[in-house]
């Protein structure tokens, strides 16, 4: 009989205990990871479920229309789409449209919904990794219910994608900064590619990328110099992958720069501080604050309050453990904020670039404020911060749904308007009808040009000198879109004997003979009305100073359409 050493006998139970403990740890880790994946997937599903039923069926605004026109035919000179080009977004839409056979509106809206679903789920994962479970839940719930973010997730625009680009760029840079730049090359390549979807995203993230690279260079040795060189090559190479085709499709670098500069000069006329002065700064500041309030709701004043409290406490406190994340978020947001305040913010949705980064701190802010409110009682503080989060979410929902002209109703209202106007116009024969529209705006030239391509569409307005005339037209040989016409309007050319149908009230300001017009409504909205004039066969329209005279004649429809509504099928009621 073999004799067992007492030491070995004592070690066996200890080994089994260690094995059991390891198995429990592995199982717990697997369960935790599985639960995290399930929660993230749940947030993605919730995003799709809230966006899909309210998605837009028609293109929402001017930019969306130009994206769709760019998918049909890329031509930056005629703003198909507008500069700076969005070539990755355009060709992604073209590819998906070709593969699925769906309409451009359907494809681009689906891209927005998918982008928002990925962003909400990603924000949960990033915030949880940085600050814990409650931070992840708080950030994801506030972004999911963000009113402005929600609305643009239902539209065929890039604003549902840009927050994802900002969050992804931040996270890759954060990981690189925590690992002495070892993952800097990946971050640089991804940021370079992000410019293909929205060029501004790459521009805003480049200073943060450069800062992380410089820190890595200072802390490391020869290996860090090689990493930084590779990162510089990666961002340049990734940018070249989309920038070179974009420039080539635009007719070369001089043509690209000229078209971009023309649009830049036009859109910054009333906003750039060096052109509009303090009035421009006031306009931009108001837009930034409005955009943030419509994105963050009552969490914005809570965030500001927490920041002020931190400043008031001063040096008495130890440096916060999240100092690196705060600094990196500031680096990512600073270029965007400077641009929006001092140069241009075209739409409130521009601020969505920074919204997920600000919401990373939702959990710590609510926790901090709960701690200041209740000094004792951890359970009570937990309940208080959960209640505060619930109030923020409910406030977001109220802002989105409750007001008379709510964000929830704007996409639906746009759909109803476009459906009604296109149905009403198609009652008329395209061969004998010309549509007169306003040069700009969501209900004007681009809408008619895209949804009513079988009709001649002429944009009528006044140039910068106050002269009325033809801006552009979809007719063969006419300038389809030319910013120079806003400086010098062209002569108006309309076919004599045709029926002129005016789609926008703004056109009336340029007419000198409105007595020839008949009016008809076609929908419930205040803007759902048309004006008609039968162009005199022997007396063509006349440009005279700051007015246009259509020289209408007795219209065959005179009396038939006067003041009478049109049904949704397009015939007079």
């Amino acid at each position: 009989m073999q004799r067992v050493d007492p030491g070995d006998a004592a070690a066996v139970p200890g080994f089994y205990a260690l094995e059991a403990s390891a198995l429990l740890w592995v199982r717990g880790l697997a369960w935790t990871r599985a639960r995290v994946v399930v929660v993230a997937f749940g947030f993605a599903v919730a995003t799709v479920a809230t966006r899909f039923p309210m998605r837009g069926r028609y293109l929402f605004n001017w930019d969306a229309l130009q994206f769709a026109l760019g998918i049909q035919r890329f031509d930056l000179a005629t703003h198909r789409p507008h500069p700076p080009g969005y070539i990755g977004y355009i060709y992604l839409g073209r590819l998906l449209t070709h593969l699925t056979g769906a309409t451009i509106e359907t494809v681009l809206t689906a891209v927005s919904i998918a982008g928002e679903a990925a962003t909400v789920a990603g924000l949960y994962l990033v915030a949880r990794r940085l600050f814990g479970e409650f931070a992840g839940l708080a950030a994801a719930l506030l972004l999911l219910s963000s009113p402005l973010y929600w609305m643009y997730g239902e539209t065929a625009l890039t604003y549902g994608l840009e927050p994802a680009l900002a969050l992804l760029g931040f996270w890759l840079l954060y990981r690189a900064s925590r690992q002495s730049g070892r993952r800097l090359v990946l971050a640089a390549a991804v940021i370079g590619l992000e410019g293909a979807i929205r060029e501004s995203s790459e521009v805003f993230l480049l200073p943060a990328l450069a800062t992380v690279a410089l820190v890595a260079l200072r802390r490391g040795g020869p290996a860090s110099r090689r990493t930084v060189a590779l990162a510089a090559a990666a961002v340049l190479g990734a940018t070249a992958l989309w920038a070179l085709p974009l420039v080539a499709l635009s007719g070369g670098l001089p043509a690209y720069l000229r078209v971009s500069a023309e649009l830049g000069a036009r859109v910054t006329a009333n906003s750039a501080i060096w052109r509009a002065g303090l009035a421009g700064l006031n306009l931009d500041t108001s837009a930034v604050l409005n955009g943030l309030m419509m994105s963050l709701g009552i969490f914005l004043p809570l965030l500001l309050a927490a920041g002020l409290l931190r400043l008031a406490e001063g040096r008495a406190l130890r440096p916060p453990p999240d100092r690196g994340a705060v600094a990196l978020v500031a680096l990512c947001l600073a270029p965007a904020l400077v641009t929006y305040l001092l140069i241009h913010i075209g739409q409130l949705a521009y601020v969505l670039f920074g919204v997920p980064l600000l919401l990373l701190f939702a959990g710590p802010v609510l926790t901090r404020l709960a701690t200041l409110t209740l000094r004792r009682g951890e359970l009570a503080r937990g309940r208080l911060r959960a209640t505060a989060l619930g109030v923020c979410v409910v406030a977001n929902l109220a802002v989105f749904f409750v007001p008379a002209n709510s964000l929830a109703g704007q996409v639906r209202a746009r759909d109803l308007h476009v459906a009604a106007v296109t149905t009403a116009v198609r009652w008329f024969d395209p061969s004998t009808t010309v549509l007169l529209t306003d040069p700009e705006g969501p209900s004007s030239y681009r809408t008619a040009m895209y949804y009513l391509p079988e009709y001649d569409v002429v944009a009528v307005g006044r140039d910068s000198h106050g002269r009325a005339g033809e801006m552009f037209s979809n007719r063969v040989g006419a300038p389809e879109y030319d910013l120079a016409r806003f400086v010098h309007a062209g002569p108006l050319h309309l076919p004599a004997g045709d029926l002129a149908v005016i789609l926008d009230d703004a056109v009336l300001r340029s007419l000198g003979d409105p007595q020839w017009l008949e009016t008809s409504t076609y929908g419930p909205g205040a803007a759902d009305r048309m004006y008609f004039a039968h162009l005199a066969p022997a007396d063509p329209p006349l440009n005279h100073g700051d007015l246009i005279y259509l020289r209408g004649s007795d219209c065959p429809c005179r009396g038939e359409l006067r003041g009478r509504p049109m049904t949704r099928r397009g015939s007079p009621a």
Side-chain angles (χ1 to χ4, degrees), residues 110-133:
V111 169
S112 293
I113 294 174
E116 292 211 345
T119 308
V120 173
L123 182 61
Y124 163 72
L125 295 174
V126 173
R128 181 186 181 277
R129 181 70 176 270
L130 293 177
F131 305 118
E133 183 68 24

Side-chain angles (χ1 to χ4, degrees), residues 217-240:
L217 196 61
R218 194 176 73 174
R219 292 179 178 176
S224 65
R225 289 196 291 271
R226 180 174 178 273
T227 299
V228 170
L230 289 175
V235 71
L236 290 174
T239 302

Side-chain angles (χ1 to χ4, degrees), residues 249-541:
L249 288 171
S250 303
L253 185 59
Y256 177 80
L257 294 177
R258 182 181 65 254
V259 174
S260 300
E262 288 174 351
L263 180 62
R266 178 168 176 77
V267 300
T268 61
N270 297 322
S271 59
I273 191 169
W274 61 85
R275 303 184 67 185
L278 293 180
L281 178 62
N282 180 63
L283 179 68
D284 294 341
T285 303
S286 176
V288 169
L289 291 176
N290 286 337
L292 290 175
M293 281 300 299
M294 295 178 70
S295 301
L296 300 175
I298 61 175
F299 176 69
L300 179 61
L302 295 179
L303 178 64
L304 295 175
L308 292 174
L309 286 172
R310 168 65 65 178
L311 292 176
E313 290 166 341
R315 298 180 180 178
L317 292 177
R318 292 176 298 174
D322 55 353
R323 180 173 54 179
V326 172
L328 187 57
V329 166
L331 281 171
C332 292
L333 294 184
L337 185 61
V338 170
T339 301
Y340 299 156
L341 291 178
L342 302 183
I343 303 175
H344 175 64
I345 175 168
Q347 299 186 51
L348 299 185
Y350 281 23
V351 303
L352 292 176
F353 171 85
V355 165
L357 302 186
L358 292 174
L359 288 178
L360 287 172
F361 306 106
V365 164
L366 295 177
T367 300
R368 175 64 178 158
L369 295 177
T371 302
L372 291 175
T373 304
L374 297 175
R375 294 288 183 179
R376 297 181 180 179
E378 183 176 350
L379 180 60
R381 289 197 298 269
R383 290 174 177 174
L384 179 60
R385 70 177 186 177
T387 301
L389 174 60
V391 170
C392 290
V393 171
V394 171
N396 281 347
L397 296 177
V399 170
F400 186 67
F401 285 106
V402 172
N405 187 30
S406 67
L407 297 177
Q410 289 185 19
V411 176
R412 175 64 174 165
R414 169 66 175 172
D415 284 351
L416 291 175
H417 172 74
V418 177
V421 69
T422 53
T423 301
V425 167
R426 288 196 172 101
W427 184 64
F428 302 104
D429 184 0
S431 64
T432 59
T433 303
V434 58
L435 306 180
L436 304 185
T437 69
D438 186 49
E440 295 184 293
S443 303
S444 55
Y445 175 65
R446 286 303 201 193
T447 302
M449 181 181 167
Y450 182 79
Y451 285 108
L452 300 164
E454 66 272 27
Y455 289 84
D456 285 344
V457 184
V458 180
V460 176
R462 298 187 185 187
D463 59 25
S464 59
H465 302 286
R467 296 183 296 255
E470 179 178 312
M471 295 297 184
F472 16 79
S473 171
N474 69 340
R475 296 174 298 184
V476 177
E480 178 187 300
Y481 191 78
D482 186 0
L483 291 179
R485 287 295 186 96
F486 287 105
V487 180
H488 298 286
L492 183 64
H493 299 290
L494 297 179
D498 278 12
L499 180 67
V501 179
I502 299 173
L503 301 184
D504 298 292
D505 286 353
V507 175
L508 303 185
R509 295 195 295 266
S510 300
L511 299 184
D513 52 355
Q515 69 273 13
W516 291 104
L517 299 181
E518 301 289 342
T519 305
S520 179
T521 60
Y522 56 84
D528 293 343
R529 56 179 175 265
M530 296 176 175
Y531 304 90
F532 308 86
H534 189 257
L535 303 175
D539 203 2

